[in-house]
Amino acid sequence: VDPQRLQELTHRSVKVSIIIVLGVMITLGNIAVLLVITSSVAGWSRNSRYFLLSLTAADSAFGLLVMPLNLWVSLLKDYTEGPDTLCHVVAFCNATVYSTCMYTLATISLERYIAVFYPLQYSSLMTRKRTLLLIAFAWCFPSFLLSPISFPDGIIEVNFSTASLVCNPSYSTNVGYSLSLTCFIFFPCSIIMTYANLRVWCAAKRQRLKLRKYDCARRSRHNVASRVLVPVMAAYYTCWTPCMAAMIYNG
């Protein structure tokens, strides 16, 4: 037996085990979130539950769809240099789930912004129909933009990474398409999330200062907005900025 081949199989077994464990953890975590969303928690509107259910579904797709598909391709790679067609479809699913999560986070930020700054008009602005249309847009628009990835002879190449066991589009093979994805997915979502959450944070800070001024005798209130919004935005940019920067740099 080739020692290098044996070492490669051993490393891959470890990677597969880690991916399976992560997939199970993601699935169990989203089941817990789903139970909380569907419970009778006070203070959550119907629209908020719809958006959170959409985000939970997108997150669950990581463990139930993305990871199994990539593991399937990694097993088939033992027997053939292909399948190129399957790898393209898997890469399309990967990118679609990632982008749907970004768009869903943006729609949640938009919904919270309207709830905070337009409370009296909220019911007329965020109707059930508009909420469902936003959710449908968050799922369908990324699929439309990323559909060329699913075609083997399309406008962009796809490579299977033996290091991460993932089918990745080679964005450097089509600079224009890669930059257009950045402009239509990352930048709009980032702008909406940053603006909406920054405005909400500033409003919460002003309100906190007013309460402290007129209620200074009581115990100081916790800065809940900073504890929630800052980690969310920090995690978002920490996860996605390196990916987008690498895409632009490689292009």
Side-chain angles (χ1 to χ4, degrees):
V1 179
D2 186 2
Q4 184 177 359
R5 175 61 175 169
L6 183 61
Q7 184 179 13
E8 180 183 342
L9 291 175
T10 303
H11 289 170
R12 197 187 65 175
S13 300
V14 174
K15 295 175 184 177
V16 170
S17 301
I18 294 175
I19 291 173
I20 292 175
V21 171
L22 289 175
V24 172
M25 292 176 62
I26 291 173
T27 302
L28 293 177
N30 281 289
I31 290 175
V33 172
L34 184 62
L35 292 175
V36 173
I37 295 173
T38 55
S39 63
S40 56
V41 179
W44 283 6
S45 66
R46 179 187 60 188
N47 293 335
S48 297
R49 294 177 189 272
Y50 285 156
F51 285 119
L52 290 174
L53 284 172
S54 176
L55 182 61
T56 302
D59 288 339
S60 299
F62 281 106
L64 300 176
L65 179 65
V66 171
M67 290 183 176
L69 285 176
N70 285 280
L71 289 178
W72 183 24
V73 174
S74 69
L75 295 175
L76 293 178
K77 287 293 180 181
D78 283 345
Y79 308 103
T80 174
E81 289 299 320
D84 292 337
T85 302
L86 179 59
C87 204
H88 273 267
V89 174
V90 172
F92 164 74
C93 293
N94 296 345
T96 299
V97 171
Y98 302 152
S99 302
T100 299
C101 286
M102 296 174 67
Y103 267 102
T104 305
L105 288 171
T107 56
I108 290 175
S109 299
L110 180 63
E111 187 265 341
R112 288 292 85 200
Y113 174 82
I114 295 175
V116 171
F117 291 98
Y118 303 97
L120 299 180
Q121 295 86 9
Y122 179 84
S123 298
S124 59
L125 292 175
M126 293 299 300
T127 61
R128 182 176 181 272
K129 181 179 180 180
R130 290 177 180 174
T131 299
L132 296 178
L133 285 176
L134 282 174
I135 293 174
F137 177 81
W139 282 87
C140 297
F141 187 62
S143 301
F144 171 75
L145 290 178
L146 297 164
S147 58
I149 297 177
S150 62
F151 299 104
D153 299 324
I155 61 177
I156 192 168
E157 296 181 4
V158 171
N159 299 318
F160 178 77
S161 172
T162 56
S164 59
L165 303 182
V166 174
C167 292
N168 291 317
S170 181
Y171 293 105
S172 59
T173 58
N174 193 321
V175 179
Y177 178 66
S178 302
L179 292 177
S180 66
L181 291 180
T182 306
C183 294
F184 281 105
I185 297 177
F186 178 71
F187 287 138
C189 294
S190 300
I191 291 172
I192 292 173
M193 290 183 63
T194 302
Y195 177 79
N197 287 295
L198 184 60
R199 287 290 308 276
V200 170
W201 180 80
C202 291
K205 184 178 180 180
R206 288 194 299 268
Q207 185 68 17
R208 184 167 175 263
L209 292 176
K210 289 180 180 179
L211 292 174
R212 180 184 296 178
K213 179 180 178 180
Y214 294 105
D215 198 18
C216 57
R218 295 185 180 181
R219 185 180 60 181
S220 60
R221 298 174 181 269
H222 297 295
N223 193 352
V224 179
S226 296
R227 293 185 178 183
V228 175
L229 299 178
V230 173
V232 168
M233 294 306 302
Y236 172 81
Y237 279 109
T238 300
C239 293
W240 288 109
T241 302
C243 298
M244 297 301 109
M247 183 188 300
I248 295 174
Y249 176 78
N250 291 331

